[in-house]
Amino acid sequence: MRKQSFSSLPFSWDVYVVNLVINRKKNANSTDSLLNQIEDSISINPFASKNKLKKLLPAAKDSLQFYKIYSLYVRSYLAANSYDTAMQMNKKIISYCSRQEKSSPDVNELITEANNANGIYYTEKCFLDSALYYYKNALRFATKKIDSRYIDIAINMADMYTRKGDYINGIGYFRRALETTDSLGLIQKMGFPIYLGLGQAYYSGLRDFRLSEKYFDLAWLYYPQRTLNEQFVYCNNRANSYYYQQKYKQALLWFLKAKALVPPAKYQFFANLCYANLSDIYLKLGRFDSAQNYLDRSMKFFASAKGTTIYYYLTTVKASLAMKQGRVAEAHSLLEADPTTKLIEPEIAGLRNQCWQDYYVKIRDYKNAYNSLLQNTRMNDSIRNEKVSNRIAEIDLRYKQDTAVIKRELLLAQQSGQISSLRMANYFWALLVFVIIAGGFLLYHSLQRKRAIQRMMHQEQTAQLRLQNIRNRISPHLMFNVLNREMSSGNGQDNQHLFDLVKLLRKSLEFTEQTLISLSDELDFVRTYIDLEKTKLGDDFEWSLKVDETVDTANVKLPAMMIQIPVENALKHGLANKSGSKRLSVAISNKNEGVQIFVTDNGHGFHPTAQSDTKGTGTGLTVLYQTLQLLNLKNKSQIVFAIRNIADPEQTGTVADIYIPNNYHV
């Protein structure tokens, strides 16, 4: 059973309503699974658990089992905040344990739980020394069995030392709990309250914000799985840390997060503590309307707490706000009306002195303003000296703890070395066999890896050779067709055709060195090719090129001859021997995540198996398909190429449908 206290607000206000966390580790020696189930459910539903335990008590087989059930019964009353009743019941357990002549693990556990319960009771009553006495007794018996119960009690002791202002001992017990938690592999379960406690101790006691942030960050890893109360403690502490660093915007975010966790209708006390903090934060940020709103709400709730630290703090904030808004007389009345100074923490007293100093400056009473400044300076020096002393003591504590750990590890290592030397011969031969096997495995793995790399290089070279072969085949195929026609025409006057032919030759040679070319270069090649071929087709031939203005032809990449080959096939096989009107169109537009290209003619249609006077070798399409097959293997979005006849009974012709995805690459 672990008692978690809420951390101090910026004014170090001790919150007396605390969250009771029941130890969730099941008793390994218990044979009664029902008791284990009830034990796990006490913190969730203490009233239902209490009723179940009350029914089990008359059925207890012997005294030991009776008091085990009775100990859980006491826990259920503590969880239900019935502290006085729980303490009366707890006396029976202590009396039973004192009557036992021989100690046993079961009796030790009962004594441990009884002392821990007393510690929680006195914590609630704010008798911190008494609480600490019982926690020490509980820890003494818990050391006989190091488990999660031991960790819980160590955390309770650390919390108690921290609340008493003994941050060095608090940190020491937190670190002891952390070491045990780590050794038992319980960080996931127990790490949050330890990291949270260390974060609080380092910022509030030592002003070591670097270490505080470190432990807060570690606690944050487990924040989502914690209870609402634990999450509230975390947010409140994180906000306080930023407050003391004067990072008021960050503090505001965490105070608002804490406020969101505790709706006023259900958690009035905690909600109004948030309001008190928010009033101070908004005052520091110059948002006076918000500061006034939250201040009025918190002062209304704490109106009955006059003479206490929190009311002294609130009147100080109210006086400071009045001063900021120019209501000097009201500020003076507030400061005079609540002059309490006894048992006020130095930081809160410093806020009040600063407010008096601002007041004296406002009324131009510089002598008293100077006296307030001197008083604040002396107080700050005293606080600073205390923090330095605490820091030195904490470093010394860490050194001693770390040295003890190192010595223990060295002793264990020495003992382990002595045992190992007796078995060294067997280990030597076992190690030798292992090295041989491992060496063989590494050699085999290395050879396999080299073979895989060689295979990849071979595949890459094969692909490059195939692409080069394709380019070498396409260029002669095209050029031979054009040269044969120009030579047979005998038209020496048409020099433009020869210039176009030279252009085609040059472009074709350039394309053989590139796997992908731009759409603009491909279209330029197609235009030149059609200009050479259109004389052959006669005056009845007409063609068109439509490119959507949204298509960036310079940046669209596609394989060379992708459009030229369908165009060549259309002219050669579809339109060459057709009588009447001969039409060819190339249409290009954006579609989805790519570019859609249609090459359409009104020729005889696509009949790859039919006999024709113009039937070629099929080299162009074969090369195109081979190129796409190789390139598509390297691209998730692939080029689609399809040839189909026009689906119209009154019209003949062929459509070559090409889709080029964006970002297509080699």
Side-chain angles (χ1 to χ4, degrees):
M1 183 184 308
R2 182 173 69 251
K3 186 70 178 173
Q4 281 193 335
S5 63
F6 286 93
S7 69
S8 62
L9 294 168
F11 47 86
S12 299
W13 168 248
D14 290 328
V15 182
Y16 300 129
V17 180
V18 295
N19 174 33
L20 181 66
V21 181
I22 302 300
N23 176 21
R24 293 184 289 270
K25 183 174 177 63
K26 296 181 179 179
N27 184 355
N29 297 323
S30 177
T31 58
D32 193 338
S33 61
L34 180 59
L35 284 181
N36 288 331
Q37 294 174 8
I38 295 174
E39 182 180 3
D40 288 340
S41 65
I42 287 177
S43 62
I44 301 173
N45 194 338
F47 299 101
S49 301
K50 182 170 60 175
N51 292 332
K52 292 178 182 179
L53 290 165
K54 186 177 181 180
K55 294 178 181 178
L56 287 175
L57 284 171
K61 297 178 181 180
D62 53 41
S63 297
L64 181 60
Q65 187 182 50
F66 175 87
Y67 281 103
K68 282 185 176 181
I69 299 173
Y70 204 69
S71 179
L72 293 178
Y73 200 36
V74 172
R75 289 198 204 180
S76 67
Y77 272 93
L78 288 173
N81 298 327
S82 300
Y83 299 105
D84 293 330
T85 303
M87 284 305 96
Q88 292 301 320
M89 297 167 61
N90 202 41
K91 290 179 181 179
K92 295 182 180 181
I93 300 176
I94 296 175
S95 177
Y96 166 78
C97 293
S98 65
R99 295 194 303 269
Q100 305 308 304
E101 295 180 359
K102 293 183 179 181
S103 178
S104 69
D106 290 327
V107 173
N108 282 336
E109 287 188 10
L110 287 174
I111 296 174
T112 300
E113 289 297 337
N115 278 282
N116 193 44
N118 279 339
I120 292 173
Y121 170 78
Y122 285 109
T123 298
E124 279 298 318
K125 299 301 181 180
C126 295
F127 297 127
L128 304 187
D129 290 329
S130 297
L132 193 59
Y133 168 80
Y134 283 107
Y135 285 142
K136 286 180 178 179
N137 282 342
L139 193 66
R140 181 164 55 88
F141 284 97
T143 53
K144 299 177 181 180
K145 182 183 179 182
I146 304 298
D147 57 7
S148 61
R149 180 180 285 101
Y150 172 87
I151 299 170
D152 283 340
I153 299 170
I155 294 173
N156 286 343
M157 287 192 65
D159 283 336
M160 197 52 49
Y161 275 119
T162 301
R163 288 185 62 177
K164 285 170 60 65
D166 188 349
Y167 297 103
I168 304 307
N169 272 317
I171 290 172
Y173 277 99
F174 275 129
R175 286 171 60 85
R176 183 185 298 185
L178 182 61
E179 180 184 346
T180 307
T181 300
D182 186 56
S183 65
L184 295 177
L186 297 175
I187 286 293
Q188 187 74 25
K189 180 181 178 182
M190 314 292 291
F192 179 84
I194 300 174
Y195 291 138
L196 181 57
L198 284 167
Q200 176 194 354
Y202 275 109
Y203 85 74
S204 61
L206 277 69
R207 292 294 192 269
D208 188 337
F209 298 112
R210 182 186 62 81
L211 274 177
S212 177
E213 283 292 300
K214 170 190 171 182
Y215 287 115
F216 278 138
D217 288 341
L218 289 171
W220 179 253
L221 298 176
Y222 311 105
Y223 177 89
Q225 292 79 39
R226 310 310 295 188
T227 65
L228 181 144
N229 286 340
E230 289 175 311
Q231 291 178 345
F232 179 86
V233 173
Y234 180 89
C235 294
N236 193 64
N237 277 339
R238 200 81 193 250
N240 291 339
S241 173
Y242 286 121
Y243 179 93
Y244 284 121
Q245 296 177 70
Q246 299 183 358
K247 297 179 179 180
Y248 299 121
K249 291 184 179 180
Q250 291 94 320
L252 174 62
L253 294 177
W254 285 103
F255 277 132
L256 290 175
K257 193 175 181 68
K259 171 178 168 290
L261 290 170
V262 286
K266 192 173 181 181
Y267 301 94
Q268 282 192 354
F269 185 78
F270 302 139
N272 280 279
L273 287 176
C274 288
Y275 299 158
N277 284 326
L278 287 169
S279 66
D280 193 6
I281 290 294
Y282 281 124
L283 174 62
K284 296 290 192 298
L285 293 174
R287 296 169 60 176
F288 300 140
D289 291 340
S290 297
Q292 188 70 58
N293 175 40
Y294 283 111
L295 182 62
D296 291 343
R297 294 163 73 176
S298 59
M299 290 201 75
K300 181 179 179 181
F301 180 81
F302 290 111
S304 61
K306 292 183 178 180
T308 63
T309 302
I310 188 168
Y311 198 81
Y312 184 82
Y313 169 76
L314 288 172
T315 55
T316 301
V317 174
K318 189 171 184 178
S320 297
L321 180 60
M323 198 83 65
K324 294 287 185 181
Q325 294 177 324
R327 293 179 278 115
V328 180
E330 180 183 345
H332 181 263
S333 298
L334 288 167
L335 295 173
E336 288 286 350
D338 187 19
T340 306
T341 56
K342 294 182 179 179
L343 301 178
I344 298 299
E345 295 182 10
E347 287 87 350
I348 307 303
L351 291 177
R352 177 60 67 97
N353 286 340
Q354 182 62 51
C355 193
W356 273 116
Q357 180 183 333
D358 293 341
Y359 168 75
Y360 288 131
V361 170
K362 280 280 187 182
I363 65 173
R364 300 187 178 183
D365 184 352
Y366 298 114
K367 179 180 179 180
N368 279 320
Y370 178 70
N371 290 334
S372 297
L373 176 63
L374 289 179
Q375 190 174 355
N376 256 350
T377 301
R378 286 193 297 269
M379 189 176 298
N380 289 335
D381 290 341
S382 175
I383 293 173
R384 191 177 301 108
N385 290 336
E386 181 183 356
K387 302 303 180 187
V388 171
S389 299
N390 284 340
R391 181 64 178 144
I392 293 172
E394 188 271 339
I395 292 172
D396 183 58
L397 172 69
R398 275 200 286 169
Y399 170 76
K400 290 178 180 177
Q401 288 184 334
D402 293 343
T403 302
V405 172
I406 291 171
K407 287 180 178 178
R408 185 169 64 251
E409 290 178 349
L410 286 174
L411 179 61
L412 291 174
Q414 183 180 3
Q415 294 173 347
S416 176
Q418 292 173 353
I419 296 172
S420 298
S421 63
L422 299 176
R423 304 174 182 173
M424 188 58 67
N426 291 336
Y427 287 162
F428 172 77
W429 291 110
L431 180 62
L432 181 61
V433 172
F434 173 77
V435 169
I436 293 173
I437 294 174
F441 174 78
L442 291 175
L443 180 61
Y444 172 78
H445 181 72
S446 177
L447 292 175
Q448 288 293 101
R449 188 173 181 182
K450 287 181 179 179
R451 290 194 189 98
I453 294 173
Q454 289 174 351
R455 184 164 55 252
M456 291 177 61
M457 293 176 62
H458 175 72
Q459 291 174 350
E460 184 71 21
Q461 291 171 353
T462 301
Q464 291 178 359
L465 290 173
R466 291 182 66 186
L467 285 172
Q468 290 177 6
N469 182 49
I470 289 170
R471 297 307 176 210
N472 290 334
R473 291 170 59 191
I474 189 66
S475 297
H477 173 69
L478 172 64
M479 295 306 109
F480 290 158
N481 288 343
V482 176
L483 284 172
N484 286 336
R485 192 187 74 250
E486 290 300 312
M487 291 171 64
S488 61
S489 67
N491 186 0
Q493 298 179 351
D494 193 359
N495 292 330
Q496 184 58 43
H497 285 183
L498 294 178
F499 291 145
D500 289 343
L501 179 58
V502 170
K503 182 178 179 180
L504 282 181
L505 286 169
R506 184 182 298 109
K507 285 290 184 181
S508 179
L509 289 173
E510 292 176 1
F511 290 172
T512 59
E513 298 175 0
Q514 304 176 51
T515 305
L516 296 179
I517 65 172
S518 68
L519 178 58
S520 59
D521 286 341
E522 178 71 4
L523 291 177
D524 184 54
F525 190 95
V526 169
R527 290 190 193 93
T528 305
Y529 173 77
I530 293 176
D531 287 341
L532 281 171
E533 290 289 295
K534 67 183 180 182
T535 304
K536 176 182 176 182
L537 295 170
D539 296 333
D540 294 329
F541 170 74
E542 59 182 70
W543 83 285
S544 63
L545 171 63
K546 297 181 180 179
V547 181
D548 194 301
E549 62 182 5
T550 62
V551 177
D552 186 0
T553 58
N555 290 321
V556 176
K557 300 296 181 180
L558 73 168
M561 308 295 180
M562 191 78 198
I563 300 176
Q564 191 276 334
I565 290 175
V567 167
E568 181 181 355
N569 285 341
L571 298 182
K572 180 178 179 182
H573 304 298
L575 301 175
N577 295 326
K578 183 181 183 300
S579 59
S581 175
K582 305 178 184 69
R583 295 190 300 277
L584 172 69
S585 68
V586 178
I588 302 172
S589 62
N590 281 316
K591 179 181 179 182
N592 298 332
E593 298 295 325
V595 174
Q596 186 74 52
I597 303 171
F598 291 104
V599 179
T600 308
D601 66 76
N602 67 337
H604 301 294
F606 181 63
H607 307 288
T609 59
Q611 296 295 323
S612 171
D613 294 336
T614 62
K615 182 174 178 62
T617 63
T619 301
L621 287 177
T622 300
V623 168
L624 187 55
Y625 285 130
Q626 288 179 342
T627 302
L628 294 181
Q629 182 181 9
L630 287 172
L631 296 181
N632 279 343
L633 290 174
K634 299 184 178 182
N635 289 271
K636 184 176 180 180
S637 298
Q638 301 183 346
I639 291 178
V640 179
F641 177 83
I643 299 178
R644 67 177 188 276
N645 290 318
I646 295 176
D648 188 345
E650 298 181 2
Q651 181 180 355
T652 62
T654 304
V655 178
D657 186 352
I658 305 168
Y659 176 75
I660 311 293
N662 293 336
N663 302 320
Y664 197 78
H665 59 85
V666 177

